[in-house]
């Protein structure tokens, strides 16, 4: 395994590790080679690095053309420039056509965009992609999981969207832990007063909130959702069945992401109270930790929300 | 194939396209007739394809980026033998028909790429062309775009990629018929100087009469002799070409012929009334 430090480095490392055996893998860059930490890939495999310039719609189209000829293109850049600027290309020429294009959207969420500000923070990407049939959606929680998610995406027949951050993520998973096929990884089982579901890079905060709650006499279960809107939610439903009080925590708009997914599963399978901790506004610039804390993702704020809800 | 033979085929395709719209009671006949001669030349003289094996990986690729012109492509595929048995009534735009309102690659054998959302064909074609280079295949990728369609910014994103990646196996035809949905292209963009615009993007550019089979064939041969640049063949075309009541009449951008108009089409295009 090529060594990596952050999430974007994990993406590049996974591509490098697959490239030797998988000649079908090509890298599409809307001038994102540097941002995606993939300069080494471009230098080692110049004929497999397709530069499309600062032009995401064209880059997604070009990826569709490459995929139609049997190749497996990876397109990585800022999450919103893919899912919003090139949304229609992702829908019509990759989703509808069910072509084998893999997308990695970085700078997702407040944590991903942090100091860059609202133009580079994307908390709507999952809402967009979750409404596109044929897409598989992975939400890795840390760099190691991103590495495994990228490798797993290469095995999927059809389009994949991987939601990634920018490098401020706290390492939680063991570096060798595989990407969960079931779509869920249970982290804490202190009790069943509530189940806290986490999506993506807030996992360390949710785990800390669970510890706080335990000290305060509230014993919860914590699960990381690895795959959103997957084909088989059986194991997610099993975790949901542990409590009538479900909480979702995600660095995404309150609509269209994890909270919507768990609410839907609760509606369709087992009624439960679902409290969604998520964004309802645009963000702003700031250091990652301070920003996330300020917008309600501190362990204390999460724990407080859980306690207040359970008291009602 | 001689130009007389190509003309005969093109006229037949025109009538099929008009019949498709007439029977289906919906569609875009004018834009379809505009490119009939280019499509006939490609499918019956130029492209290396195998109708019995539409997924053949070495085949030449074709994208009708102005996807609303698809009736003429469906007619060409039918005439070329992609469908067994040959289609008699297309059921264009009907529920569950393989002939969707705009081309869908998984619905219709022989359609290499979904299209209809304007502007995307050049960038997608660039991907196909790049794949040929990487896979060391000698197929060509042909794309037909409309002159109005070129107002879409993504066309020029694809144009940049094709130049930057030196995709000399990509040949784009511009159907310069001068019209778009509402008014003329000149009205919209000031001047319809397509050739200069592509030259400015570093393309190898030719300008021809889009209804002259020898000119179309000659331009393709010439394009293939120029290395290191993508190719643009600007084709002066007449929207609705071949039918007196449709030619240069933009009311036929989208429209359905009446019984009398269809009878007139049969007469003018040399077909037999079935």
């Amino acid at each position: 395994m090529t060594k990596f430090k952050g999430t974007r480095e994990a993406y590049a490392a996974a591509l490098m590790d697959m490239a030797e055996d998988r000649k079908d893998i090509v890298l599409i860059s809307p001038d994102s080679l540097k941002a995606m930490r993939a300069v080494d890939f471009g230098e080692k495999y110049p004929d497999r690095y397709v530069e499309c310039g600062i032009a995401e719609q064209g880059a997604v189209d070009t990826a569709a053309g490459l995929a139609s000829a049997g190749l497996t293109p990876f397109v990585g850049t800022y999450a919103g420039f893919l899912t919003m600027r090139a949304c229609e290309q992702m829908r019509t020429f990759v989703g509808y056509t069910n072509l084998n294009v893999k997308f990695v959207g970085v700078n997702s969420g407040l944590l991903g965009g942090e100091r860059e500000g609202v133009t580079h923070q994307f908390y709507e990407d999952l809402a967009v992609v979750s409404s596109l049939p044929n897409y598989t959606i992975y939400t890795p929680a840390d760099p190691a999981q991103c590495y495994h998610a990228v490798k797993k995406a290469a095995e999927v027949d059809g389009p994949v969207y991987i939601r990634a951050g920018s490098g401020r993520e706290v390492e939680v998973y063991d570096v060798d832990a595989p990407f969960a096929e079931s779509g869920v990884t249970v982290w804490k089982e202190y009790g069943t007063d509530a189940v806290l579901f986490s999506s993506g890079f807030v996992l360390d905060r949710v785990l800390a909130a669970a510890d706080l709650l335990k000290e305060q006499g509230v014993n919860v279960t914590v699960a990381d959702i690895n795959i959103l809107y997957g084909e088989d939610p059986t194991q997610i439903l099993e975790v949901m069945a542990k409590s009538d009080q479900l909480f979702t925590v995600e660095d995404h708009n309150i609509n269209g992401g994890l909270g919507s997914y768990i609410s839907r599963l609760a509606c369709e399978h087992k009624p439960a109270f679902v409290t969604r901790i998520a964004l309802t506004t645009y963000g702003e610039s700031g250091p990652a930790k301070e920003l996330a804390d300020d917008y309600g993702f501190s362990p204390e704020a999460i724990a407080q929300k859980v306690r207040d809800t359970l008291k009602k | 194939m001689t130009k007389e033979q190509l003309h005969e085929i093109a006229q037949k395709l025109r009538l099929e396209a008009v019949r498709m719209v007439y029977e289906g009671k919906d569609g875009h006949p004018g834009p379809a007739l505009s490119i009939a001669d280019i499509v006939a030349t490609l499918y019956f003289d130029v492209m290396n394809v195998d109708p019995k094996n539409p997924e053949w990986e070495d085949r030449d690729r074709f994208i009708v980026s102005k996807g609303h012109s698809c009736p003429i492509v469906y007619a060409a595929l039918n005439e070329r033998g992609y469908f067994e048995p040959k289609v008699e009534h297309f059921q264009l735009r009907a529920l569950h028909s393989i002939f969707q309102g705009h081309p869908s690659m998984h619905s219709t054998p022989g359609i290499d790429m979904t299209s209809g959302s304007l502007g995307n064909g050049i960038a997608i074609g660039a991907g196909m062309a790049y794949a040929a280079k990487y896979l060391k295949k000698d197929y060509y990728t042909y794309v037909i775009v409309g002159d109005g369609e070129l107002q879409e910014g993504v066309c020029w994103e694809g144009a940049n990629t094709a130049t930057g990646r030196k995709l000399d196996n990509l040949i784009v035809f511009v159907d310069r018929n001068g019209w778009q949905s509402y008014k003329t292209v000149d009205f919209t963009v000031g001047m319809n100087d397509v050739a200069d615009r592509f030259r400015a993007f570093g393309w190898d550019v030719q300008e021809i009469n889009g209804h002259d089979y020898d000119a179309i064939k000659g331009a393709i041969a010439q394009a293939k002799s120029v290395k290191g640049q993508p190719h643009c063949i600007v084709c002066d075309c007449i929207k609705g070409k071949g039918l007196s009541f449709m030619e240069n009449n933009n009311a036929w951008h989208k429209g359905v012929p009446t019984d009398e108009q269809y009878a007139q089409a049969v007469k003018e295009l040399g077909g037999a009334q079935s």
Side-chain angles (χ1 to χ4, degrees), chain A:
Chain A
M1 185 189 289
T2 302
K3 287 218 166 98
F4 54 85
K5 210 171 115 241
T7 301
R8 292 183 283 178
E9 289 80 358
Y11 162 71
L15 286 186
M16 283 296 252
D17 287 350
M18 291 188 290
E20 196 61 41
D21 293 334
R22 291 281 304 267
K23 307 287 185 206
D24 58 307
I25 290 179
V26 292
L27 190 152
I28 313 308
S29 159
D31 193 24
S32 59
L33 208 66
K34 253 171 69 184
M36 299 305 290
R37 308 291 189 261
V39 170
D40 287 350
F41 184 100
E43 285 177 0
K44 187 168 181 190
Y45 302 106
D47 59 339
R48 295 163 70 175
Y49 148 56
V50 187
E51 184 58 68
C52 293
I54 310 166
E56 290 76 14
Q57 298 176 26
V60 174
D61 279 346
T62 297
L66 288 157
S68 78
L71 298 176
T72 306
F74 276 76
V75 192
T77 191
Y78 298 87
F81 303 154
L82 286 173
T83 62
M84 286 182 273
R85 185 171 301 189
C87 172
E88 193 208 352
Q89 283 74 19
M90 286 183 68
R91 170 197 179 263
T92 302
F93 299 106
V94 178
Y96 176 41
T97 55
N98 202 18
L99 286 170
N100 221 359
V101 182
K102 317 300 174 187
F103 298 95
V104 178
V106 296
N107 275 38
S108 67
L110 285 166
L111 279 163
E114 46 116 25
R115 290 174 197 265
E116 306 284 355
V118 175
T119 56
H120 289 60
Q121 297 168 338
F122 299 107
Y123 4 78
E124 306 88 356
D125 52 332
L126 295 173
V128 172
V129 183
S130 65
S131 64
L132 306 179
N134 294 338
Y135 272 84
T136 298
I137 305 172
Y138 293 163
T139 53
D142 69 3
Q145 282 288 285
C146 186
Y147 175 88
H148 294 292
V150 170
K151 288 186 97 171
K152 191 129 202 96
E155 295 167 18
V156 173
D157 185 19
V160 179
Y161 177 72
I162 298 172
R163 184 174 211 241
S166 73
R168 311 287 179 264
E169 301 77 41
V170 176
E171 292 172 11
V172 182
Y173 279 79
D174 185 276
V175 73
D176 294 319
F179 196 76
E181 295 218 10
S182 63
V184 59
T185 305
V186 175
W187 275 91
K188 303 261 187 202
E189 292 187 282
Y190 293 144
T192 56
D193 293 341
V195 177
L196 275 55
F197 288 104
S198 173
S199 171
F201 306 112
V202 291
L203 178 59
D204 62 304
R205 292 163 173 270
V206 181
L207 292 172
D211 287 338
L212 277 178
L213 284 163
K214 187 165 183 262
E215 288 167 17
Q216 295 156 353
V218 179
N219 296 306
V220 302
T221 297
V222 177
D224 179 31
I225 296 294
N226 314 90
I227 302 173
L228 273 192
Y229 298 94
E231 277 179 16
D232 179 10
T234 308
Q235 291 198 37
I236 298 174
L237 291 170
E238 282 172 16
V239 180
M240 287 172 65
K242 290 176 188 292
S243 178
D244 289 332
Q245 288 287 350
L246 309 179
F247 292 81
T248 61
V249 188
E250 58 187 320
D251 184 359
H252 185 274
N253 186 272
I254 196 163
N255 296 310
L258 175 69
S260 294
Y261 179 44
I262 296 297
S263 300
R264 171 178 146 184
L265 290 177
C267 286
E268 291 177 351
H269 298 275
K270 182 182 176 298
F273 292 99
V274 179
T275 303
R276 298 172 292 168
I277 300 171
L279 295 165
T280 54
T281 64
Y282 296 103
E284 61 187 287
S285 291
K289 183 178 178 307
E290 291 172 32
L291 196 56
D293 286 351
D294 200 60
Y295 279 76
F297 297 110
S298 69
E300 294 75 15
I302 295 168
Q304 181 78 44
K305 182 77 179 172
V306 172
R307 284 200 316 277
D308 290 350
T309 306
L310 294 182
K311 269 186 215 156
K312 279 180 192 167

